Amino acid sequence: MQNIVLIGFMGCGKSTLARELGRVSGRFVLDSDMLIEQREGISVAEYFARYGEGAFREREREFIDWVESSVHGAIISTGGGMSAHNSVKPMGIVVYLDMAFERICARLSQSDLAKRPLFGDRTKALELFTKRQAIYQAQADITLNAELEIAALVSALDPLL
Ligand code: S3P
């Protein structure tokens, strides 16, 4: 059974949708940021501060290799930069959650922003968003409008579950 891999910009709702898909399908849910945090023993923000973005991308690369070789039938929520720096296609069916930048900003609280080192500055985050949109699109097997209700997103993915 193929994995379902959720990609998209920070704050577009990947983790929330992954949990809901896991709940309705009974499949296990993996969150790349959470697994990297657990393995390294520090938060993503702390990891960036200590070792830099390049090292974090290497940890993400290891996650992709592990999923490709060892994980089947899971729902996988990826960090927003994973699919911008590496091909995520080997992990499974790739679903891009597309959401407007303004909407993302409105959803993220101060504590959500503090957890995300690449969202410190809104202008820089918008540049990153603009640069990544075509990359997300190119990696996606399916693109969903992430502004829809979660129930609509789940039913759009129902044929894959
Ligand atoms: C990042 C997104 C974050 C996290 C890290 C870098 C990015 O995950 O992996 O802060 O480069 O877009 P979320 O998409 O879950 O915020």
Side-chain angles (χ1 to χ4, degrees), residues 10 14 33 44 48 56-57 60 79-81 116-118 132:
M10 295 173 261
K14 295 169 297 229
D33 284 342
V44 169
F48 266 68
F56 183 73
R57 300 305 172 200
E60 289 190 317
R116 293 173 166 89
L118 299 183
R132 284 182 180 174

Side-chain angles (χ1 to χ4, degrees), residues 19-87:
R19 278 196 299 274
E20 187 59 10
L21 290 171
R23 196 185 65 77
V24 302
S25 67
R27 295 202 199 190
F28 282 108
V29 175
L30 302 180
D31 182 306
S32 66
D33 284 342
M34 211 177 281
L35 286 176
I36 291 170
E37 285 182 335
Q38 282 170 354
R39 198 184 67 171
E40 302 303 320
I42 51 177
S43 69
V44 169
E46 183 60 28
Y47 194 90
F48 266 68
R50 278 199 213 172
Y51 307 111
E53 182 179 354
F56 183 73
R57 300 305 172 200
E58 285 169 28
R59 304 292 79 74
E60 289 190 317
R61 174 78 249 162
E62 290 163 2
F63 176 87
I64 294 169
D65 291 345
W66 169 67
V67 170
E68 184 184 2
S69 65
S70 311
V71 179
H72 308 282
I75 312 291
I76 297 178
S77 175
T78 64
M82 179 188 279
S83 49
H85 290 264
N86 288 292
S87 171

Side-chain angles (χ1 to χ4, degrees), residues 108-119:
L108 290 173
S109 66
Q110 280 308 316
S111 80
D112 291 329
L113 292 175
K115 287 183 207 147
R116 293 173 166 89
L118 299 183
F119 217 123

